[in-house]
Amino acid sequence: IGLSMLKAIRALWREGIVHGDLKSNNLVIERKDDGQIYLKVIDYGTCIQDDNIQLNCCCSTDGYVSPELDKDFKLSHKSDIYAVGAILVEIWTGSIKQDDYNKSRSDLLKRIKIIEKEDSELSKLIKKCVHINPKRRPNIYELLDMFKELNEE
């Protein structure tokens, strides 16, 4: 499911699209005739075909919003990567806290520590996604490579 999600987001990025509100509710699972499971990204109401946009307000959902989007209203592909990290935490632990940024981030970091006890490599990957500095987050292509390596182990 995680790999399918990353491929769906890569398809957006290839078109230069920043989703801006990635969350589990905006992902739909589809099973194809070949038996494979695919994830589709939906709800394109906040999508922008550009990168590093200055907004007038935060348009993302609490719990998934990156620090730069919450504080400075800056939306970029790296904002989507932060949301991917939050979604991976939600998939692994069953939920995330959807509250103001500081409470949500604190809960997210606690949940990553829970994941670390079970799968230290996955927790490292997630930590990179939710790094406070967007420049330190991987791009979608790097993230896909890391995720594939993780699945090979």
Side-chain angles (χ1 to χ4, degrees), residues 32-80:
K32 297 282 187 173
D33 292 337
D34 62 5
Q36 294 290 327
I37 294 175
Y38 297 91
L39 255 156
K40 290 184 173 187
V41 177
I42 61 170
D43 189 2
Y44 294 94
T46 58
C47 289
I48 296 175
Q49 195 165 16
D50 205 344
D51 196 19
N52 294 315
I53 301 297
Q54 181 66 50
L55 302 173
N56 295 323
C57 63
C58 180
C59 60
S60 193
T61 301
D62 289 336
Y64 305 91
V65 64
S66 65
E68 67 277 7
L69 184 54
D70 180 70
K71 182 180 176 196
D72 301 321
F73 308 139
K74 291 183 180 175
L75 179 64
S76 72
H77 288 295
K78 297 295 180 97
S79 305
D80 282 352

Side-chain angles (χ1 to χ4, degrees), residues 85-140:
I87 292 166
L88 289 171
V89 168
E90 184 177 17
I91 289 169
W92 188 268
T93 65
S95 66
I96 61 167
K97 188 175 193 94
Q98 292 183 332
D99 205 332
D100 70 59
Y101 172 76
N102 290 328
K103 290 178 184 175
S104 295
R105 176 135 179 106
S106 176
D107 181 72
L108 188 68
L109 296 175
K110 287 176 188 172
R111 290 176 185 277
I112 292 171
K113 286 183 181 180
I114 293 168
I115 295 169
E116 189 170 22
K117 292 177 185 175
E118 298 291 325
D119 191 332
S120 63
E121 293 304 311
L122 177 61
S123 73
K124 287 177 190 175
L125 184 145
I126 293 170
K127 284 178 186 177
K128 289 178 182 181
C129 291
V130 299
H131 197 284
I132 199 87
N133 182 347
K135 293 178 182 174
R136 304 264 321 262
R137 292 180 211 140
N139 65 43
I140 193 65

Side-chain angles (χ1 to χ4, degrees), residues 2-49:
L3 186 59
S4 183
M5 173 181 65
L6 296 177
K7 288 179 178 180
I9 294 165
R10 179 185 62 193
L12 291 175
W13 283 28
R14 284 182 173 161
E15 299 298 321
I17 296 171
V18 177
H19 190 278
D21 194 23
L22 287 173
K23 57 187 174 185
S24 57
N25 287 346
N26 286 344
L27 301 173
V28 177
I29 296 174
E30 179 182 8
R31 185 178 299 273
K32 297 282 187 173
D33 292 337
D34 62 5
Q36 294 290 327
I37 294 175
Y38 297 91
L39 255 156
K40 290 184 173 187
V41 177
I42 61 170
D43 189 2
Y44 294 94
T46 58
C47 289
I48 296 175
Q49 195 165 16

